[in-house]
């Protein structure tokens, strides 16, 4: 499995964001990529690792406490036609609430990932 990580792509009021992803055909492969990311202490200690995977015939998502983030990631994967793939948006909370901007950052992070992988 290959996990691609784009770190420190967004910073706002102390919160920092990264986006990662890679090919996954099954729930187990998606969870293995998440586990691989969290083997890095920095990512394991992140406030949120929200993710989604559009697998053949199955959609999975997990907000990891960032309410609604998994659904946004999943919708973007489906719109881009990117299947058998997992995308993880990581946030390190910076101490200030971002309100609706946090969703804009999730969207921007996924856009960054899709652009980097040619979608």
């Amino acid at each position: 499995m290959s996990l691609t990580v784009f770190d420190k792509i967004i910073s706002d009021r102390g919160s920092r964001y990264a986006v990662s992803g890679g090919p996954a055909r099954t729930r187990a492969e998606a969870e293995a990529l998440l586990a691989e990311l969290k083997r890095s202490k920095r990512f394991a200690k992140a406030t949120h690792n929200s993710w989604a995977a559009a697998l053949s015939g199955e959609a999975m998502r997990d907000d990891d406490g960032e309410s609604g983030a998994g659904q946004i990631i999943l919708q973007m994967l489906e719109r881009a036609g990117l299947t058998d793939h997992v995308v993880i948006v990581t946030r390190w909370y910076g101490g200030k609430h971002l309100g609706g901007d946090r969703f804009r950052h999730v969207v921007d992070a996924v856009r960054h990932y899709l652009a980097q992988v040619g979608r």
Side-chain angles (χ1 to χ4, degrees), residues 19 73 76-77 87 89 105-115:
V19 65
I73 299 166
M76 292 183 73
L77 290 179
V87 172
V89 176
H105 296 323
V106 169
V107 167
D108 288 345
V110 176
R111 275 194 189 126
H112 179 87
Y113 184 84
L114 293 173

Side-chain angles (χ1 to χ4, degrees), residues 37-49:
L37 181 69
K38 288 182 174 181
R39 275 198 284 280
S40 160
K41 190 179 255 185
R42 176 171 151 65
F43 283 87
K45 289 185 170 188
T47 314
H48 307 288
N49 281 296

Side-chain angles (χ1 to χ4, degrees), residues 12-16 47 91-96:
D12 182 5
R13 288 167 268 177
S15 284
R16 294 173 321 282
T47 314
R91 176 183 178 193
W92 292 268
Y93 180 64
K96 291 197 170 113

Side-chain angles (χ1 to χ4, degrees), residues 72-98:
I72 291 169
I73 299 166
L74 182 60
Q75 286 172 345
M76 292 183 73
L77 290 179
E78 288 172 344
R79 269 190 226 122
L82 189 58
T83 55
D84 293 332
H85 213 89
V86 61
V87 172
I88 307 155
V89 176
T90 303
R91 176 183 178 193
W92 292 268
Y93 180 64
K96 291 197 170 113
H97 289 285
L98 302 181

